[in-house]
């Protein structure tokens, strides 16, 4: 809630790569609903997968995240010879 990044292993007892895979599986499930690549989807469309990932952490893994915790999709691109980082919030704990 204060903008600090949370380390995944001590916080949710899983590697960041496993959390990313879980979120990616949620995006894959949405391909039936939204056509095209998820890179072209709106933040609101991706939020369905992000919220589902946070719900899975809460319901299946029994992880209690503090209110205000956000799941952020970070993409790093090489554009015009420079690294560009884009981040969008795709889920939030209320």
């Amino acid at each position: 809630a204060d903008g600090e990044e949370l380390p995944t292993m001590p916080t949710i007892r899983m590697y960041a790569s496993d959390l990313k895979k879980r979120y990616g599986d949620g995006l894959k499930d949405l391909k039936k609903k939204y056509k095209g690549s998820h890179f072209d989807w709106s933040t609101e469309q991706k939020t369905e997968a992000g919220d589902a990932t946070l719900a899975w952490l809460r319901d299946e893994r029994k992880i209690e995240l503090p209110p205000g915790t956000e799941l952020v999709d970070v993409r790093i691109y090489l554009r015009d010879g420079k690294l560009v980082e884009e981040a969008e919030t795709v889920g939030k704990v209320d």
Side-chain angles (χ1 to χ4, degrees):
D2 61 4
E4 291 294 315
E5 295 176 7
L6 296 174
T8 56
M9 189 49 82
T11 306
I12 59 174
R13 298 182 305 277
M14 65 189 302
Y15 293 109
S17 58
D18 293 330
L19 181 62
K20 178 190 174 296
K21 182 177 180 339
R22 187 69 169 166
Y23 169 64
D25 289 345
L27 290 174
K28 236 184 275 181
D29 291 343
L30 289 173
K31 282 197 177 248
K32 296 175 185 111
K33 185 175 181 180
Y34 304 116
K35 304 299 180 203
S37 170
H38 66 272
F39 292 106
D40 299 324
W41 296 350
S42 70
T43 301
E44 291 75 26
Q45 289 169 312
K46 291 184 243 183
T47 297
E48 290 182 47
D51 285 341
T53 301
L54 291 173
W56 176 80
L57 287 172
R58 181 192 63 229
D59 300 338
E60 300 297 320
R61 300 280 308 229
K62 307 297 185 211
I63 304 293
E64 290 188 42
L65 294 169
T69 300
E70 296 177 342
L71 182 62
V72 179
D73 185 339
V74 178
R75 304 287 174 169
I76 300 173
Y77 302 93
L78 184 61
R79 211 179 269 154
D80 299 325
K82 295 182 181 183
L83 288 177
V84 177
E85 179 180 309
E86 295 177 358
E88 57 187 337
T89 300
V90 294
K92 188 171 183 178
V93 177
D94 292 323

